[in-house]
Amino acid sequence: MRVFVLFWKINQIESLFTKSEALKYFARALAKSGRFERALEITEIIGELELNLDKDMALEEISQIMAQRNLILRAKHIIKQIQNPSLRIKALVELAKFSKEEDDIINAYNEIEKVENLGLKLNLLVELLKVLSDLGRRP
Amino acid sequence: MELFKKVLGEVRAQLEEVSKYHKALNLVKIWQATHEGEDLEKAWECAHQEGYFDILVEIVKSLALENPEEALKKAVTINEKSWREKAYIEIVKKLSRDKERNSGIISQTISLIENKYHKALALLEIGKINEVLEIAKDVLPELKVELLILVAKKTRNEKYLIFALKSIKGVKLGNKDCFRKEIAKVFVELGNYRMAKEIADQIGFLDFQIEVWCEIGARDYESFRFVLENKSN
């Protein structure tokens, strides 16, 4: 009944923003506990609130946790569902860090090259540089 | 290797296009990737000149493992006491991975910390629990509760959470709910959901209460499907 109490409490929140924050927090906590399917069900609920960016943020976090646990294929599948380009690329860089696959690194790089916002592009390139360094791909 | 050079070239070329803060931050990341002394000095100089203390601490933290002496030398020059002591704590945290080998520099670093609470945080990193508890008796109530929570996390011993709870009750605190939330979350970490639930019920601020319930629900959700189905009906 504990989850029932939780949903009842989340429904008490009037602000849509706070409600979404609570659901994102829950999705993250579920993913960290390894309950990925449950975490994805929560992202669907966030989607029902028509908060697509928040849904993407939750998906990005879940994909990161999956990648960190070496669940690379599942993480890739989740990343495909992320609509927001910056969040998707951020997730691709994180994926490359753990998959260590040449194709994933190149894919992340090609996606970064499409970014128009200079500040964001620089941040992503720097992250990729760190990934390449960690994988021993520096001179 | 080719891609590394290509990305590095692009990053360097774009550095002047961003704010000074982001330039300093990216210089740190460049150094973390290249491990070249020249990049380190550029990053340090930039952050030092502009007084970006968080970046200076980040540099000290990254440097601590590969060159502890240099990290300490740099930390000493941070001219804001609180940030300087944060840098000292980061050095101790990194070096605590090999306490025996680094005992000399760890003691030297801790001896430089003047603030009691900061000293307790550094001592906690090297597992000096009794010393931390001794300091906890002698600091502000809020800091005492914080320290007890940290000791409980480190030792995974619930008795310190009970002490922390008692310290909340005994003292008038401005932010009791926040401490209750933190204590309840550690109870969840330790697997004591019953106690976590009890504390959650005492929390007045709904957002904090939900945070605890999320942590409990994430680990203990046998009726999850039932709830989802009922929610959509």
Side-chain angles (χ1 to χ4, degrees), chain A residues 111-125:
Chain A
E111 290 295 318
I112 294 172
E113 285 300 296
K114 292 177 195 163
V115 176
E116 285 177 9
N117 179 311
L118 211 67
L120 176 65
K121 188 174 181 177
L122 183 60
N123 287 345
L124 291 164
L125 281 172

Side-chain angles (χ1 to χ4, degrees), chain B:
Chain B
M1 218 175 280
E2 281 308 307
L3 185 59
F4 184 90
K5 282 185 193 165
K6 197 171 169 184
V7 175
L8 182 60
E10 276 189 57
V11 169
R12 286 200 202 277
Q14 286 175 26
L15 269 184
E16 297 305 323
E17 311 291 325
V18 292
S19 68
K20 278 185 181 171
Y21 180 82
H22 281 99
K23 183 184 170 185
L25 194 63
N26 284 321
L27 278 169
V28 178
K29 290 180 179 173
I30 290 176
W31 160 62
Q32 286 170 339
T34 63
H35 296 267
E36 282 174 18
E38 199 184 323
D39 289 327
L40 166 66
E41 289 315 318
K42 263 191 214 164
W44 182 263
E45 208 178 290
C46 183
H48 212 270
Q49 253 173 19
E50 300 296 327
Y52 298 141
F53 298 115
D54 55 333
I55 297 181
L56 293 176
V57 172
E58 177 61 28
I59 294 174
V60 170
K61 184 177 157 186
S62 300
L63 192 58
L65 265 187
E66 62 182 71
N67 192 344
E69 285 80 14
E70 181 61 22
L72 185 56
K73 216 168 101 187
K74 283 199 158 15
V76 172
T77 68
I78 298 177
N79 48 26
E80 206 282 327
K81 190 186 167 191
S82 174
W83 286 100
R84 183 167 64 244
E85 298 202 342
K86 272 185 191 164
Y88 293 150
I89 296 167
E90 291 299 337
I91 294 175
V92 175
K93 196 185 271 185
K94 287 279 173 163
L95 298 184
S96 65
R97 291 178 193 176
D98 192 350
K99 276 188 283 187
E100 302 305 314
R101 205 175 120 220
N102 299 312
S103 62
I105 193 156
I106 288 176
S107 310
Q108 193 191 346
T109 309
I110 292 177
S111 71
L112 293 170
I113 302 175
E114 292 171 14
N115 177 289
K116 282 181 189 170
Y117 176 68
H118 288 157
K119 199 179 268 285
L121 292 180
L123 289 165
L124 188 67
E125 292 299 333
I126 51 167
K128 301 265 185 194
I129 303 301
N130 289 336
E131 282 90 332
V132 176
L133 294 173
E134 216 35 60
I135 293 174
K137 289 179 191 164
D138 203 22
V139 291
L140 290 171
E142 288 86 347
L143 299 181
K144 180 182 180 180
V145 177
E146 287 268 12
L147 286 175
L148 288 169
I149 295 171
L150 291 171
V151 169
K153 271 189 180 176
K154 181 93 178 175
T155 59
R156 300 190 61 81
N157 188 334
E158 287 185 6
K159 83 175 174 192
Y160 299 112
L161 293 177
I162 304 291
F163 293 159
L165 266 182
K166 282 181 184 162
S167 301
I168 291 179
K169 280 178 190 162
V171 187
K172 183 101 178 138
L173 289 173
N175 210 350
K176 284 187 179 189
D177 273 354
C178 186
F179 284 125
R180 287 199 181 106
K181 177 195 76 174
E182 291 306 321
I183 293 170
K185 282 168 73 175
V186 184
F187 269 116
V188 177
E189 266 179 52
L190 301 180
N192 191 341
Y193 306 135
R194 186 190 57 80
M195 198 61 190
K197 185 183 159 297
E198 243 173 63
I199 298 167
D201 287 339
Q202 294 168 30
I203 297 174
F205 187 47
L206 184 63
D207 292 24
F208 288 168
Q209 207 181 70
I210 287 173
E211 214 173 298
V212 177
W213 276 103
C214 284
E215 294 292 345
I216 300 171
R219 292 164 171 85
D220 186 30
Y221 63 93
E222 63 279 4
S223 54
F224 195 98
R225 175 74 59 191
F226 165 80
V227 173
L228 276 183
E229 280 166 4
N230 277 275
K231 188 190 153 291
S232 53
N233 288 340

Side-chain angles (χ1 to χ4, degrees), chain A residues 1-6, chain B residues 213 222-223 226-227:
Chain A
M1 294 306 285
R2 281 174 186 166
V3 177
F4 183 77
V5 175
L6 174 60
Chain B
W213 276 103
E222 63 279 4
S223 54
F226 165 80
V227 173

Side-chain angles (χ1 to χ4, degrees), chain A residues 30-112:
Chain A
L30 282 161
K32 281 185 178 169
S33 298
R35 328 272 199 205
F36 294 111
E37 294 310 316
R38 308 297 184 210
L40 292 171
E41 282 173 324
I42 297 298
T43 65
E44 289 306 315
I45 297 175
I46 299 173
E48 283 167 23
L49 297 173
E50 294 183 2
L51 296 166
N52 293 334
L53 184 63
D54 284 0
K55 182 183 175 184
D56 280 351
M57 287 161 88
L59 287 171
E60 193 251 336
E61 277 199 84
I62 295 168
S63 75
Q64 273 197 24
I65 296 168
M66 282 178 171
Q68 284 159 13
R69 296 185 183 185
N70 232 3
L71 300 166
I72 304 298
L73 286 177
R74 289 180 77 185
K76 276 185 188 172
H77 181 70
I78 302 301
I79 291 171
K80 279 182 192 158
Q81 296 176 42
I82 302 174
Q83 307 280 318
N84 180 282
S86 343
L87 288 171
R88 195 177 57 249
I89 300 172
K90 208 171 144 218
L92 286 172
V93 174
E94 190 70 14
L95 179 88
K97 189 192 291 182
F98 293 95
S99 83
K100 300 173 186 173
E101 293 287 336
E102 189 76 26
D103 285 354
D104 293 332
I105 295 169
I106 302 287
N107 185 27
Y109 176 72
N110 290 336
E111 290 295 318
I112 294 172

